[in-house]
């Protein structure tokens, strides 16, 4: 599965929704997903913005971004830590 398809599916978007965002026909976007055609630089930038990833990631030059769930776990862990730490009044 291509990166574009993985990102689109993870965001629960249709090919038409992404194509409309880019201002291209759905069949053109399908060609991007299938690797039959490469998007121009402007569309690569717009896709990176849409999917909230870097252009390097879309081009296969960097690792996937951290998942939101791991960020949420870190935030929740920090919140729990703050609430379970004794206050100066407790000592």
């Amino acid at each position: 599965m291509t990166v574009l398809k993985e990102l689109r599916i993870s965001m629960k978007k249709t090919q038409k929704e992404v194509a409309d965002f880019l201002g291209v026909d759905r069949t053109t976007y399908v060609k991007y997903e299938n690797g039959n055609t490469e998007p121009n630089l402007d569309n690569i930038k717009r896709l990176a913005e849409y999917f909230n990833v870097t252009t390097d990631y879309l081009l296969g030059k960097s690792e996937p971004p951290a998942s939101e769930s791991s960020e949420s776990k870190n935030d929740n862990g920090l919140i729990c830590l703050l609430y379970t730490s004794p206050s100066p009044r407790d000592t």
Side-chain angles (χ1 to χ4, degrees), residues 35-82:
N36 297 331
T37 303
E38 293 184 0
N40 62 30
L41 182 57
D42 286 337
N43 281 342
I44 291 171
K45 290 177 185 177
R46 295 186 80 211
L47 285 165
E49 176 187 320
Y50 187 80
F51 291 121
N52 197 29
V53 296
T54 64
T55 54
D56 279 351
Y57 176 68
L58 290 179
L59 298 170
K61 304 290 184 188
S62 69
E63 294 296 314
S67 70
E68 286 186 28
S69 60
S70 67
E71 289 174 15
S72 297
K73 287 178 186 172
N74 288 341
D75 289 345
N76 289 339
L78 179 60
I79 291 168
C80 290
L81 177 64
L82 291 174

Side-chain angles (χ1 to χ4, degrees), residues 15-33:
Q15 291 172 334
K16 178 153 179 29
E17 288 173 312
V18 180
D20 288 347
F21 174 80
L22 293 175
V24 300
D25 193 64
R26 188 190 68 80
T27 57
T28 300
Y29 178 75
V30 170
K31 291 177 185 177
Y32 296 164
E33 274 195 5

